[in-house]
Amino acid sequence: ASLQSIINQNEMSVFDKPHPDGVFAASCFMHETSVSVVIEGQSYSPIVIDWFFQNGELDQYHKLIESCPQEDSENLQLPCNDYHPCQVDFMTTSSSDPHPLTKLQFDA
């Protein structure tokens, strides 16, 4: 299922299934999500447990997708999650030696 179909599952369900999909998508550079990563004050672990066992205590958090603030789009830095390992430092110790990811962006 695509992310959009998971988000819209209640409105336009393609498959009639008793257990709806869930998503926890933080704006984070790390591939795996640490329990220290939070969205709206929630980490994924209790949400996944509640979703999987259908406890119904955290239903409002079963589809959490982090939105980055857009008020100051000139200074928008992605990823925007506050957890430090989620951030990307695009510069190394020397300002004249860009991070390899920055170089890849310009070489492409």
Side-chain angles (χ1 to χ4, degrees), residues 42 46-48 50-51 55-63:
Q42 303 293 318
I47 296 169
V48 169
D50 184 78
W51 169 81
N55 295 333
E57 296 172 10
L58 300 172
D59 285 351
Q60 71 272 25
Y61 300 114
H62 289 182
K63 295 178 184 175

Side-chain angles (χ1 to χ4, degrees), residues 83-104:
Y83 183 53
H84 182 71
C86 285
Q87 304 300 312
V88 178
D89 182 10
F90 284 107
M91 300 304 283
T92 59
T93 54
S94 167
S95 61
S96 63
D97 184 23
H99 189 279
L101 288 175
T102 305
K103 185 175 182 336
L104 286 175

